[in-house]
Amino acid sequence: LSSKLTFNGVSMNPVNSTTTFNFINGKYCDPVGEDWLENINPADGTLLGRIANSTEQDVEHAVIAASNAQSNWSESTLEQRSRILSKIGDLIEENIESLATIESEDSGKPIGRARTIEIPRAASNFHFFANAITQFSSESHESVGQNAINFTLRQPLGVVGCISPWNLPLYLFTWKIAPALAAGNCVIAKPSELTPRTASMLGDLCNQAGLPAGVLNIVQGAGTGAGQAILEHEKIKAISFTGGTATGEHVARVVAPKFKKLSLELGGKNPNIIFSDCNYERALETTIHSSFANQGQICLCGSRIFIESSIYEKFKADLVARTSQLTVGHPSKTETSIGAMVSGDHYRKVLSYFEQIDPADASILCGGKPGTVEGHEQGFYIEPTVIEVQNNQCRLNQEEIFGPVVTLMPFENEEELIAMANDVKYGLSATIWTKDLDRTMRLSKKIECGVVWINTWLMRDLRTPFGGMKDSGVGREGGLEALRFFTEPKNICIAFEN
């Protein structure tokens, strides 16, 4: 990013600054109430700096800015929007190293993951929707015999709210913002207060790309303050939220009576299913990744591993051996496999599951305790953990732990497997390892989830719909589904004479 910027007349470097400001109407600014939160480095427990803790007053200022910009932005041409969004994507790519460093510091994730996967994906989000909006066509229907034609407009909603989580900060922040902007909406966006800085840095990139002031406004702070104000504001027409299921329930209770459009991408407790006819080495290698990527802090991680009984003991032994070889280390080290948990509170929550294990129900096969990283003893590290459970109804299999923790259970047949896979309140994703095409189709139709991966995991095509069933959410994101969410369909019927 540029070495120096001017924030309200003060020359600063946002990358090295210890203060994370709001970004409203194209400018960085203090919170109205001069209230600040601490930003803690999860890798060592030290203070990274302070974060604006915004209130309804800051949200009001953001809404005014967005409302003033809405008419011009919604009336801009698709080519103009596309060009600006594409430029933002280019600028993210040009600043991968700076963004990845900040992302790793804020979240505790290994810098290699931020550098090679997550920041590039943030750029891809802008590039994809820059192109997608130019292909987003209207529908028309000729009413034969009635001398009429119907056509459907897709108009911007207006000012919309986007609230993103801490686990994939810039990746999921841009996943919401890019389609909202592409569709012609102005945005009030709030990143997690645990990982605020790359979202803040995006403001400068938007200015450099020529995004008009007020089109994107980034309000920092706690969910109970800024987040709640976004949900309640009458001029915000839609809410796109990604986060935990309990918080999602609260969002729905607030938003539904106001008849705003609502998209919820919530938790998961996803089955990873290993059949005996799988490509064994590939299944084993990918299972390590799908279990512990980002310290298990991905809603799509395969946290319940079901293994066909004929290969259960071998797969269990090999999985434990591979897991034990993973390196718990400082996020800045290239050799680190498992970084730090995002916060002290989340670290303690995950550890509490180990403390409550009943030996009659489960056995820890490896891990199950804090990790130690020399020189960073105050960091929030947990060893990657594999647990053998006896009952699919135990807490370990029913609750989203959201850490480097997986459970193992054998199964005898498809009927038993389907019952266990579906016997959970979540329905986000599933992974199936088998070479049997018929089985693939049977299970894909019967497992209750929104995304099924066959012989792979987390392979995403941005054109496809993404989301879950049951307590995993409401609606779909991605591709044209996102553009449909951020627009209002209006049908126009024209009658004509012969």
Side-chain angles (χ1 to χ4, degrees), residues 62 85 92 95 140 149 160 189 213 231 238 276 295 316 357 368 375 428 432 440 442 448 462 477 480 485 494:
L85 294 186
I92 291 174
N95 291 280
S140 64
I149 187 167
V160 299
L231 300 182
S276 60
Q295 297 73 253
K316 176 176 72 173
I357 287 178
L428 185 53
I432 303 171
T440 291
R442 285 195 303 270
E448 298 167 351
L462 300 190
E477 297 181 313
L480 298 183
F485 174 77
I494 302 176

Side-chain angles (χ1 to χ4, degrees), residues 28 53 128 204 214 228 248 261 263 325-326 341 386 426 464:
Y28 289 90
N53 191 22
F128 175 84
D204 176 47
Q228 184 72 16
K261 291 188 80 172
S263 174
Q325 294 171 4
L326 296 175
M341 307 302 289
V386 178
Y426 299 101
T464 60

Side-chain angles (χ1 to χ4, degrees), residues 15 28 62 88 94 102 182 295 323 370 382 491:
V15 175
Y28 289 90
I88 296 171
E94 292 172 17
I102 296 301
Q295 297 73 253
T323 300
I382 296 177
N491 191 74

